[in-house]
Amino acid sequence: MLLAGCALRTPAAATREFQLDAAPAVLAVDPQARAVPAWAFGGSVPGPLLRARQGERLRVVLRNALPQATTVHWHGVRVPNAMDGVPHLTQPPVPPGGDFRYEFQLPDAGTYWYHSHLQSAEQVERGLYGVLVVEEREPPAVDRDLAWVLDDWRLTPEGRIAEGFLAAHDVSHAGRIGNVVTLNGSGEPPDLVLRRGERVRLRLLNAANGRIFGLQFEGHAPRIIALDGQPVAPHEPARGRVVLGPGMRCDLVLDATAAAGRRYAVRDTFYRAQSYDLVHIAYPDAPLRERPPDALPPLAANPLPEPDLARAIRHEIVFEGGMMGGMHRALLDGSPRDFGSLLRQGKAWAVNGVVASGHGMAPLLTLPRGGSVVLAMRNDTRWHHPIHLHGHTFRVLTRGGRATTHREWQDTVLMEPMERVEIAFVADNPGDWMFHCHILEHQEGGMMAVVRVL
């Protein structure tokens, strides 16, 4: 199940070059193996897996053969602002028939991804995304390194992607939840075949518009070694379940310790009333070794600047709106609108009382370059929100007023309904950066803002 992508050429040891062709494609993503018209990078969903090594330079030429303009955002990578792929904010949209060259250094190892950031509630839903793996200078010793891309699709009975993107219910509730779940583009993924004693690095990515995944590994005890690409002290997931909101990634070490000749379910239990088996782990009779290696050293830290909490600038951020929420009025295009008026215009969410109407917004915050920042965020809604900050990686300091156990570095943090979360980072990357909910219908429905670093 390891996705693969091939470099066009490697002109020098320090540069990796790829080409991404965005074009219509026909795929078999549903369990009935029907031909589903989609959009794809490189003719597949997910698109080609791009691999490079920490410290190398990545050069990717996007060629757009779609009927719409598009861009590519490099989710989680600390890119220069001009390479961030946000239309009308960091670059002009790439028109049909056009191309654009993205080029930047890769300062951090880890699991990242690329996806459209123009009309993303439609374009990502149609399949415009892929994985970027930045290998450590000294990768951990594992027998296999696999990527699992999780997604869901809303298909019609005829096997087509349902239209009605940004439907009012999706915008104002949990986002667009599909009726077919896929793993690496397949609605009926093959078993993950393990041999007893094997050690696997499993890179998980949630590429769905709105679905949150909560995976439990029957008969196994996976350990988390990285979140959103950033190393963390190896630990078992809370309550034995790996929870990923849209846009989030998690690297696991999965040791094959179960009995030969059996199958074990990897079960998604996030929505308790709709639990299902995502895939199964199967064991042949012949073991690889008696048991997996004992040692599991932590990954080497990436060169992230540590925020100075004693001198940090503090800002309060309130996310509000949605059905069953308390937002009665908010500003849209500078004018106060009641909630009913906002819904009629396809909006339902606000950040500090302001409803986003497009990417090219005035900044919500202006931060001095090099300064430490604490964002005290409050989810004043009845819904989950994976909050993503472009161009930076932040420490998650507290949740619900309690210090986090691992003080994890992330670029997307899943906020529970009515939860308070504090994050901290050094504003060291100049430019205008998107700050938004990664449930794409919430983003388009107003829950996004711009953070400016001078």
Side-chain angles (χ1 to χ4, degrees):
M1 287 190 182
L2 179 61
L3 302 172
C6 297
L8 291 180
R9 60 188 178 92
T10 306
T15 303
R16 302 277 179 175
E17 185 169 344
F18 299 87
Q19 180 174 311
L20 286 178
D21 294 315
V26 178
L27 308 168
V29 300
D30 75 333
Q32 287 75 42
R34 293 171 294 183
V36 176
W39 293 352
F41 291 115
S44 66
V45 177
L49 188 149
L50 309 183
R51 277 190 177 271
R53 184 152 295 212
Q54 184 177 15
E56 291 182 331
R57 192 167 187 83
L58 189 69
R59 182 181 299 143
V60 180
V61 176
L62 167 67
R63 299 192 186 281
N64 183 12
L66 299 169
Q68 295 180 3
T70 193
T71 64
V72 175
H73 168 56
W74 305 93
H75 188 122
V77 184
R78 295 187 291 148
V79 297
N81 190 250
M83 297 289 104
D84 198 41
V86 179
H88 311 296
L89 187 71
T90 70
Q91 73 168 93
V94 181
D99 58 63
F100 188 89
R101 188 176 80 176
Y102 297 93
E103 186 168 347
F104 45 86
Q105 295 292 130
L106 296 166
D108 304 323
T111 304
Y112 305 98
W113 67 303
Y114 59 92
H115 62 81
S116 164
H117 217 289
L118 179 60
Q119 295 179 229
S120 54
E122 176 182 356
Q123 294 195 4
V124 173
E125 174 71 7
R126 290 191 184 276
L128 289 174
Y129 57 80
V131 180
L132 168 63
V133 170
V134 183
E135 297 174 345
E136 294 86 0
R137 291 184 173 91
E138 295 184 8
V142 295
D143 296 299
R144 281 188 288 168
D145 185 329
L146 308 179
W148 277 6
V149 182
L150 312 176
D151 195 7
D152 68 353
W153 305 71
R154 186 178 294 178
L155 300 182
T156 67
E158 297 74 31
R160 291 182 170 270
I161 297 173
E163 299 291 329
F165 304 103
L166 298 176
H169 184 276
D170 297 337
V171 169
S172 59
H173 289 72
R176 181 175 168 119
I177 307 296
N179 52 15
V180 172
V181 174
T182 58
L183 192 161
N184 290 351
S186 173
E188 285 193 340
D191 290 349
L192 171 61
V193 178
L194 299 181
R195 299 173 65 187
R196 182 176 176 85
E198 187 176 12
R199 172 166 286 179
V200 174
R201 180 177 186 167
L202 191 57
R203 302 173 187 264
L204 304 178
L205 158 65
N206 182 355
N209 277 33
R211 181 181 291 269
I212 301 168
F213 290 87
L215 302 187
Q216 293 180 302
F217 290 73
E218 180 188 14
H220 295 77
R223 284 166 288 178
I224 296 171
I225 61 170
L227 293 167
D228 289 353
Q230 303 301 328
V232 66
H235 64 279
E236 294 187 11
R239 295 177 292 279
R241 188 169 69 162
V242 180
V243 177
L244 291 176
M248 298 172 66
R249 291 89 62 215
C250 179
D251 286 31
L252 303 175
V253 163
L254 186 65
D255 284 337
T257 57
R262 287 194 55 188
R263 294 171 79 237
Y264 301 84
V266 179
R267 190 163 181 82
D268 180 9
T269 63
F270 187 81
Y271 306 101
R272 294 290 185 182
Q274 303 174 33
S275 297
Y276 63 95
D277 291 350
L278 173 71
V279 69
H280 288 83
I281 300 172
Y283 280 78
D285 292 333
L288 178 65
R289 57 177 72 94
E290 182 62 26
R291 61 178 181 269
D294 293 328
L296 182 59
L299 299 173
N302 285 318
L304 297 169
E306 188 68 49
D308 182 347
L309 300 182
R311 299 184 178 183
I313 302 169
R314 184 181 178 90
H315 291 279
E316 304 285 330
I317 307 292
V318 179
F319 302 100
E320 53 189 334
M323 297 304 290
M324 298 179 289
M327 186 179 78
H328 301 293
R329 186 174 296 271
L331 290 176
L332 176 63
D333 296 327
S335 300
R337 310 288 177 87
D338 62 43
F339 190 67
S341 173
L342 292 171
L343 284 177
R344 289 189 290 274
Q345 297 179 69
K347 304 295 181 180
W349 310 94
V351 182
N352 282 9
V354 177
V355 179
S357 58
H359 292 92
M361 306 170 59
L364 171 74
L365 303 175
T366 299
L367 306 174
R369 184 177 180 182
S372 294
V373 182
V374 171
L375 299 184
M377 307 188 299
R378 186 172 87 236
N379 178 8
D380 198 14
T381 84
R382 301 292 180 179
W383 305 93
H384 287 83
H385 300 292
I387 301 300
H388 174 48
L389 175 63
H390 288 214
H392 297 79
T393 302
F394 50 76
R395 276 205 185 277
V396 183
L397 301 178
T398 67
R399 304 193 71 122
R402 296 183 178 182
T404 55
T405 301
H406 301 285
R407 296 185 75 244
E408 53 269 21
W409 290 104
Q410 294 191 253
D411 56 67
T412 309
V413 60
L414 182 62
M415 297 187 71
E416 295 183 1
M418 310 306 293
E419 187 181 28
R420 295 171 182 261
V421 175
E422 289 185 319
I423 64 174
F425 62 98
V426 176
D428 62 343
N429 202 351
D432 285 358
W433 301 101
M434 293 306 304
F435 178 55
H436 63 91
C437 177
H438 217 280
I439 292 177
L440 299 178
E441 291 71 34
H442 293 178
Q443 171 194 308
E444 299 288 346
M447 192 176 281
M448 63 177 172
V450 170
V451 173
R452 175 171 291 171
V453 178
L454 296 176

